[in-house]
Amino acid sequence: MTDTAPDLDRLRAGAPPRNHDARTIAALTANPGCARRGLLDAAGIDKDAVARHLGFGTPFGQSQFAITRGNAFEAQVKADGCAELLALLRDRLGLDVGEVGYDDLDEEGGREFRHARTRKLLARALDDANGTLFDHPLLRLDIGGTPAYLEPDVIAFQLGGRFHVVEIKSFAVVDGQAEPEQVAAAARQAAVYVLALRELVADLGHDPQRVSHEVFLVCPENFSNRPSATPLDVRPQLAVLRRQLDRLTRVDAILDDLPPDLSFALDDGLGAAVRTVEARYAPDCAAGCELAYFCRDEARACGATGALGRGVRDDLGGVDTVAAALDLARGAADPPELAETAALLRTAARLRAEALGGAT
């Protein structure tokens, strides 16, 4: 138990901690500067339940059609001991995959049993280099002092003594190109598996670099069911993920500034409790945070510059509200620490006035 565990338990007001999965862990990297999200995630609070209680529920999650299509494509790629996947890696990527060993860890039993069997098989593979494909490994990753079990639909693939994560997604690759946002999301999710696999390898006494930063992304090609494979370097995503997870273990700095009796119980005081913790809203929060609509309403109400987008907020570094930015542009305020920003805003205001004057 960490030093902050009792405080985080109090914040949940008796509710069990929400279990993370690779998708929610990957989403932690989307807005690392948000204290509100960092604290709620560290405490394992169900943000979706909080948002719905506050009247700002969001329709998160994949559609049933997308889930069904994804499951069918994954089953096709993994059929007959991953025969199609192996052919793909050999023929399309030219990998020198010799005799293949295949272990499916998707067996009955509790999480601890499955994780222990994953650990045992990977330990054997690390020692004698036997074993090529490990399907449905159950990995574990510490999130703010709480273990999260990851049940990937990916496979640990050993080649030349190094493991690679294979990420299977059902979005299409058309003429060699896929939707950049979907590829980025897949890379973040794969990075979670790489990190968890590296921690397991290190815990077994081996070099964590035996888990490659290069993952293989498998997707349907040109809207058909024919799979394609693409190597993907996830080192940038790994770096961001490590920073954010380290930050979750330092929530004590956030807790020090909060009332000692604060909790996020689902009652009439929930809205005030949530507002006690500072948020860092940006419009793209809507793509990955259940509280995005609540924070957007709050940001608009107080005229926060973040409501205009991360680019505007970053350009106005240190200016938190639209009203403050307008005061700087008009010369109504001139703090020395914002002299450069004030000069830029006044130039922009002058250019705007000249442009409008020319138009009239």
Side-chain angles (χ1 to χ4, degrees), residues 101-126 130 133-140 149 156 163 197 200 204:
Y102 174 81
D103 292 284
D104 190 350
L105 294 142
D106 188 18
E107 296 182 342
E108 293 183 0
R111 292 188 305 185
E112 290 295 338
F113 176 81
R114 285 187 55 201
H115 178 65
R117 186 156 186 267
T118 298
R119 183 184 174 92
K120 180 180 179 180
L121 288 178
L122 290 178
R124 186 190 66 187
L126 287 163
N130 287 325
L133 290 169
F134 300 90
D135 197 355
H136 299 103
L138 186 62
L139 307 174
R140 193 163 61 189
Y149 288 89
F163 290 103
L197 199 52
L200 175 59
L204 290 169

Side-chain angles (χ1 to χ4, degrees), residues 140-227:
R140 193 163 61 189
L141 191 64
D142 186 86
I143 306 297
T146 302
Y149 288 89
L150 308 175
E151 302 184 62
D153 56 11
V154 298
I155 298 169
F157 166 64
Q158 185 176 206
L159 178 66
R162 299 189 78 194
F163 290 103
H164 299 72
V165 164
V166 180
E167 183 73 5
I168 302 173
K169 293 295 184 185
S170 60
F171 60 79
V173 175
V174 181
D175 296 332
Q177 301 291 323
E179 179 65 40
E181 290 184 2
Q182 292 179 311
V183 174
R188 288 194 296 268
Q189 192 168 338
V192 175
Y193 297 133
V194 171
L195 183 60
L197 199 52
R198 282 186 172 180
E199 294 204 353
L200 175 59
V201 169
D203 195 45
L204 290 169
H206 293 269
D207 182 359
Q209 296 305 314
R210 290 187 65 176
V211 180
S212 176
H213 57 262
E214 186 176 67
V215 306
F216 298 116
L217 178 62
V218 178
C219 298
E221 189 173 35
N222 296 333
F223 300 111
S224 69
N225 284 330
R226 183 185 181 190

